[in-house]
């Protein structure tokens, strides 16, 4: 059959580029590997030249794949399954890039692209290290290229998942009826982008994060090269600037993810210790530890084994996080892990190869590391930098173990479940690590290498300690920490100490020389992040309490949600708020919520928020918050229920208004057991009981005989004015006929029809119709986050400090600073 409208040329070009990418990476890896064993300089140069050609072929091919896939997404070529799965015509074009890396294949391609960029920089910059470092880089490219090959070896063994697979040939669609239609492209619409990802942060967060992942490969490659070539100390000098670069970029990517979560997700915060969040955080923590022990060795010749271990571990943890998030094993544990595409075995091979390589080279090097006779003094900078790196490693180990619950359960057959208050558990475990790290950040820079005089240290730290103590006492007065919150107060002191001590160090020791203050500025930024997180989460307050008298049920807790009838004005915290209706823009429904303050008995408008619901029939609707930013706090709101949403959806699907000739909506069908409840647009309906009709007067009124069966459903209707109403629709079986007797509550504009009984589950079938007018309500949650801007300020300062540290390290390296 010849299919109408298909453009197969792009798939052919894309597949050719994939093969060329894999071939180029393999050629590069083999050539660079052989170059390390060449016997003459001429032979070595020839193999290096071939390795470069292979890597450049891989690079051009990867960029070509990227471009072709982007072209297909921009033009909605749904004959390709990847395009169908991740885009549609309704989606705004500015999110096309998000479609590119939403799926497994696209995200592997993004990772590969950044390796292309960094690998070509290393070809230019690594000089005498090129043959060994680029061997590692090219091998990684071979594995990444294999992830999108999509080659079927046997019926059960497929290498990679191909982004250019045709929709009609995809396993999920093959032999479907539409594949037998020549014009099937006119009948299908794309599935579309996950509504959670239709946010500008998702355009910039993943590329930054994957550049961070790719950057961890550089210190790893140098460390492996150092073990391989038995240059156990020389590798540190070129690796150190790249390590700081990785810290900056990966840290920035993680912080962008936190900003996205705060802005787009409705869990109420910027961090939820989700397994996918953790899997990116852990390599960053280890990389930070690696940088510090590398500095120790650079200055004092100590901690070489730790430098090797942490530099290698940071990349291996990236591979482990890749396995966790892409093997499908976190499918039930994370809201944004990838599903399994049959790559679990391939990912294990990828990870196992580099673990085995690192172990073999480490064992081979045992005993060859240079010895360092000098013992570390208790009050030396190198000792406490090492302790800091050790604490970071322990923190990462704890997060890894807790995140790996699904893996542990699968391997050992256990049933280790997550805590009901998972965030609190993580926070309590991580608090001691945070105390120690911020404390070391505070006094570490005042320590000297080898040994520090204790009296001199106390004298230098006294201003920062005294200032931090005063600020902490003031915080206790303001925030009123309770006894069980003493750990929070200790962390407040330690983060404040880290900030004031590093400021003091910049001013008094460095004499305000900012170019040399990268480390101190980064420390201040990190401490501000912890301080902002501490204040905003520990002192956050839900102000949306329902006082309407209508019980919102378990799904919408009354102490956390407020019911807002349209155009009513209700008090919420220090404000009076009013829901003024909504507006529709594409798939988004924006709810206009006005905030007022009372001034001499008059309502004065303070501000307006527009929390939205993004409608998505295929994947489910998503509530996105809106936030009012103040200098000292944020007011964060999101809509948890919209009374008109169900009606809107039915009108969209059925293409008609949901109102009958009496002005009642087309009834909704509900299955209710005793005690169950359901919302209408303005009221809560509760099934109180199911009662057989046996009263003779009532039977006579209904003209029933003893052969007939009649029951009634006693319904309690809770209105928004706090009053209860009773409705009793009846269900009659008269001979062979079923006869519902409808009931109207005219005052409330409700009509009930008891039209059936589910005898198996002892539930009634109830239709509810509403008389339509302008009445509408939403249920909304609002949270105050105090001090959240301290966190965002800390993010910017930490990034600035990391940039300055990189520039400083590169300038020292270029000036041939001595080891």
């Amino acid at each position: 059959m010849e299919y109408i409208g298909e453009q197969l040329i792009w798939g052919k070009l894309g597949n050719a580029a994939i093969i060329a990418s894999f071939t180029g990476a393999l050629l590069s890896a083999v050539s660079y590997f052989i170059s390390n064993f060449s016997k003459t300089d001429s032979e070595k140069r020839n193999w290096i030249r071939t390795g470069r050609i292979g890597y450049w072929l891989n690079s051009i091919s990867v960029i070509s794949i990227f471009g072709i896939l982007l072209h297909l997404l921009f033009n909605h070529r749904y004959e390709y399954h990847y395009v169908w799965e991740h885009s549609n015509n309704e989606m705004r074009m500015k999110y096309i890039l998000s479609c590119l890396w939403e799926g497994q294949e696209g995200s592997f391609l993004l990772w590969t692209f950044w390796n292309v960029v960094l690998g070509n920089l290393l070809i230019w910059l690594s000089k005498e290290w090129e043959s060994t470092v680029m061997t590692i880089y090219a091998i990684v490219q071979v594995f990444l290229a294999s992830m999108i090959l999509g080659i079927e070896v046997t019926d059960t063994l497929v290498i990679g998942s191909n982004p250019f697979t045709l929709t009609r040939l995809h396993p999920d669609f093959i032999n479907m009826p539409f594949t037998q239609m020549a014009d099937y492209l006119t009948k299908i619409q794309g599935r579309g982008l996950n509504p959670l990802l239709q946010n500008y942060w998702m355009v910039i967060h993943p590329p930054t994060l994957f550049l961070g992942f790719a950057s961890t490969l550089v210190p790893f490659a140098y460390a492996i090269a150092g073990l391989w070539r038995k240059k156990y100390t020389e590798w540190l000098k070129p690796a150190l600037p790249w390590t700081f670069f990785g810290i900056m970029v990966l840290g920035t990517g993680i912080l962008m993810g936190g900003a996205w979560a705060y802005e787009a997700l409705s869990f109420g915060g910027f961090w939820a210790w989700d397994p996918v969040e953790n899997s990116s955080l852990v390599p960053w923590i280890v990389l930070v530890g690696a940088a510090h022990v590398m500095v120790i060795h650079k200055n004092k010749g100590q901690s070489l084994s730790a430098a090797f271990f942490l530099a290698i571990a940071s990349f291996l943890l990236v591979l482990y996080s890749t396995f966790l998030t892409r093997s499908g094993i976190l499918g039930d544990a994370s809201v944004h892990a990838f599903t399994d595409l049959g790559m679990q075995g391939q990912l294990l091979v990828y990870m196992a190869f580099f673990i085995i390589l690192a172990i073999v080279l480490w064992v081979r090097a045992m005993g060859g590391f240079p010895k360092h006779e000098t013992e570390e003094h208790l009050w030396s900078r190198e000792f406490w930098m090492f302790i800091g790196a050790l604490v970071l490693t322990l923190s990462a180990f704890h997060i890894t173990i807790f995140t790996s619950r699904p893996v542990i359960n699968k391997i050992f057959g256990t049933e280790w479940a997550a805590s009901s208050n998972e965030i609190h558990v993580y926070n309590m475990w991580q608090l001691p690590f945070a105390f120690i790290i911020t404390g070391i950040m505070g006094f570490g820079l005042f320590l000297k290498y080898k040994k520090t005089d204790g009296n001199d240290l106390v004298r230098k730290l006294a201003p920062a300690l005294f200032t931090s103590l005063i600020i902490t006492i003031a915080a206790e007065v303001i925030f009123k920490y309770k006894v069980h919150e003493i750990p929070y107060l200790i962390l407040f002191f330690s983060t404040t100490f880290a900030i004031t001590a590093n400021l003091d160090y910049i001013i008094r020791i460095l004499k305000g020389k900012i170019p040399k203050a990268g480390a101190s500025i980064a420390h201040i930024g990190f401490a501000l992040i912890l301080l902002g997180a501490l204040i905003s989460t520990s002192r956050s307050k839900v102000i949306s309490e329902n006082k309407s008298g209508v019980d919102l049920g378990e799904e919408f807790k009354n102490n956390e949600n407020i019911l807002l009838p349209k155009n009513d004005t209700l008090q919420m915290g220090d404000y009076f708020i009013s829901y003024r209706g909504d507006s529709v823009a594409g798939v988004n429904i924006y709810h206009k919520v006005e905030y007022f303050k009372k001034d001499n008995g008059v309502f004065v408008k303070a501000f307006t928020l527009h929390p939205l619901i993004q409608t998505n029939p295929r994947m489910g609707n998503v509530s996105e918050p809106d936030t009012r930013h103040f200098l000292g706090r944020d007011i964060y709101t999101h809509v948890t229920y919209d009374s008109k949403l169900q009606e809107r959806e039915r009108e969209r699907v059925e293409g008609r208004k949901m109102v009958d000739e009496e002005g009642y909506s087309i009834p909704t069908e509900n299955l209710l057991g005793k005690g169950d409840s359901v919302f209408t647009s303005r009221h809560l309906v509760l099934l109180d009981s199911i009662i057989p009709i046996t009263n003779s007067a009532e039977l006579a009124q209904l003209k029933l005989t003893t052969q007939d069966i009649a029951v009634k459903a006693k319904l309690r209707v809770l209105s928004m004015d706090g009053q209860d109403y009773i409705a009793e629709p009846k269900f009659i079986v008269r001979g062979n006929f079923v006869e519902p007797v409808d009931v109207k509550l005219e005052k409330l504009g409700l009509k009930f029809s008891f039209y059936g009984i589910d005898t198996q589950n002892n539930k009634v079938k109830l239709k509810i119709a509403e008389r339509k007018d302008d009445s509408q309500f939403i249920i909304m949650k609002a949270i105050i986050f105090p001090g959240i801007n301290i966190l965002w300020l800390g993010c910017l300062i930490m990034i600035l400090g990391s940039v300055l540290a990189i520039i400083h390290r590169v300038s020292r390296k270029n000036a041939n600073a001595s080891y």
Side-chain angles (χ1 to χ4, degrees), residues 4 11 57 147 152 199 276 307 333 343 379 434-435 438 480 488 522 542 583 592 640 665 718:
I4 300 170
L57 174 61
M147 296 297 172
E152 188 174 326
N199 182 283
V276 173
M343 292 187 184
W379 294 110
F435 302 156
T438 48
K480 296 180 176 60
Y488 294 154
V542 178
S583 59
K592 185 178 180 180
T640 52
S665 65
L718 286 74

Side-chain angles (χ1 to χ4, degrees), residues 104 274-276 322-341 344 403 405-407 410:
Q104 290 254 38
D274 181 276
V276 173
T322 303
F323 169 74
L324 282 180
T325 55
R326 295 163 192 281
S327 64
I329 202 163
L330 292 181
D332 297 326
S334 172
V335 296
H336 51 299
F338 291 92
T339 55
D340 183 18
L341 294 182
Q344 195 170 112
T403 306
R405 269 188 301 246
V407 179
K410 188 168 185 178

Side-chain angles (χ1 to χ4, degrees), residues 196-402:
L196 289 172
L197 304 183
Q198 295 186 36
N199 182 283
Y200 64 91
W201 281 114
M202 283 296 106
V203 178
I204 57 176
H205 160 58
T208 308
L209 191 68
F210 275 93
L211 176 56
F213 287 159
S215 65
T216 63
L217 177 55
V218 185
F220 172 84
Y222 273 110
I224 292 295
L227 291 173
W228 185 352
R229 296 169 62 174
K230 298 183 180 180
K231 293 188 175 183
Y232 299 122
T233 59
E234 292 87 343
W235 69 277
L236 287 157
K237 186 175 180 179
L240 191 54
W242 285 104
T243 306
F244 279 103
F245 175 78
I247 291 170
M248 180 195 70
V249 177
L250 184 54
T252 302
I254 293 168
L255 294 172
M256 283 180 173
W260 164 69
Y262 185 69
E263 183 171 307
L265 301 185
S266 57
F267 64 73
F270 52 87
W271 195 265
W273 293 105
D274 181 276
V276 173
E277 294 173 340
N278 295 349
S279 64
S280 60
L281 177 64
V282 168
W284 181 81
I285 291 174
V286 172
L287 195 63
V288 171
H292 284 79
V293 292
M294 289 164 75
V295 169
I296 293 172
H297 186 79
K298 171 185 173 298
N299 287 285
K300 299 306 298 176
Q302 297 167 315
S303 304
L304 182 60
S305 295
F308 269 115
F309 176 78
L310 294 178
I312 291 170
S314 61
F315 176 69
L316 294 181
L317 284 165
V318 167
L319 299 186
Y320 181 61
S321 74
T322 303
F323 169 74
L324 282 180
T325 55
R326 295 163 192 281
S327 64
I329 202 163
L330 292 181
D332 297 326
S334 172
V335 296
H336 51 299
F338 291 92
T339 55
D340 183 18
L341 294 182
M343 292 187 184
Q344 195 170 112
Q346 200 172 338
L347 289 167
L348 281 171
V349 171
Y350 183 12
M351 184 168 58
F353 176 88
F354 287 102
I355 291 173
I356 293 169
L357 174 65
I359 291 172
V360 168
L361 290 176
W362 187 285
V363 171
R364 173 176 169 266
M366 284 179 65
F369 289 170
K371 299 292 187 294
H372 196 278
E373 302 296 335
T374 307
E375 292 186 8
E376 296 175 357
H377 192 273
L378 176 61
W379 294 110
S380 64
R381 181 181 289 193
E382 60 269 28
F383 174 78
W384 284 102
M385 286 179 71
F386 179 80
I387 293 298
L390 179 62
V391 172
L392 286 170
T393 305
L394 292 174
S395 169
F397 178 75
H398 160 256
I399 298 170
T400 302
I401 291 296
F402 274 64

Side-chain angles (χ1 to χ4, degrees), residues 683-708:
H683 313 288
L684 183 69
V685 179
L686 175 73
L687 177 61
D688 186 87
S689 56
I690 307 169
I691 306 168
I693 300 175
T694 56
N695 181 279
S696 56
E698 198 169 2
L699 289 171
Q701 183 183 4
L702 294 170
K703 300 178 181 179
L704 297 177
T705 68
T706 55
Q707 303 299 315
D708 299 328

